[in-house]
Amino acid sequence: MQRTRRVVAVGTVVAASALLLPGAVASAGADDPGAAHGHENTLRFDVEFSPFTLVDLGEPGLSAADVIVFDDVLLQAGERVGGMAGTCVVIDATPRANCTGIVTLGDQDSITFAFLNAPPPEKVFAVTGGSGAYRTARGDGLLVEFGDDTGTLTLNVVDT
């Protein structure tokens, strides 16, 4: 008797799911242009890089397992609009490093990212998430270092 109730209950849930699923799939279909592609927003900043900070954890000098720490300033039209902070774990002394960080804009808006830090001075970013206005962010970006402790950051952010 108890087994029959369980089978009926499971059957009811499966049947209800089968009825609701087509509507959910249809609502995310081709008729909704924002469902698959999202809204793309390009953000451009001038960057003032923080002084080079190395936490020497591996062999003496720049080597695998060392950590680079950064806390940079982001500007637009000469005005500070946010920051970019994070860490890079050194992979080898070329110096290649796996970097992750966060761009902060205002009190609650942030964009998280990851990139491989290696010569040349252009770094390609993967936007991996965010908060506030960017809570569903994904996309990519480009960081260009000019060699004088300044550069530019361009983020192509897609909000879904």
Side-chain angles (χ1 to χ4, degrees), residues 1 7 21 26 35-36 43 52 60 62 65 78 83-85 100-101 110 112 121 123 127 150:
M1 178 76 166
V7 170
L21 187 59
L43 305 170
F52 182 77
L62 185 63
M84 179 172 64
T100 58
S110 66
T112 56
K123 319 301 185 209
V127 172
T150 66

Side-chain angles (χ1 to χ4, degrees), residues 10-121:
V10 169
T12 302
V13 170
V14 170
S17 297
L19 292 174
L20 295 175
L21 187 59
V25 171
S27 70
D31 293 334
D32 184 5
H37 303 290
H39 175 262
E40 186 167 334
N41 189 13
T42 299
L43 305 170
R44 292 183 177 88
F45 305 98
D46 293 319
V47 181
E48 290 179 358
F49 295 108
S50 58
F52 182 77
T53 303
L54 177 70
V55 180
D56 196 352
L57 299 173
E59 297 293 322
L62 185 63
S63 62
D66 290 348
V67 177
I68 301 166
V69 180
F70 59 93
D71 188 11
D72 306 328
V73 175
L74 299 178
L75 307 147
Q76 288 180 327
E79 298 292 321
R80 183 183 183 138
V81 295
M84 179 172 64
T87 57
C88 300
V89 177
V90 176
I91 299 167
D92 59 41
T94 59
R96 286 187 320 140
N98 177 14
C99 301
T100 58
I102 186 166
V103 168
T104 55
L105 304 168
D107 292 333
Q108 298 184 9
D109 296 332
S110 66
I111 300 169
T112 56
F113 61 85
F115 68 100
L116 180 63
N117 188 16

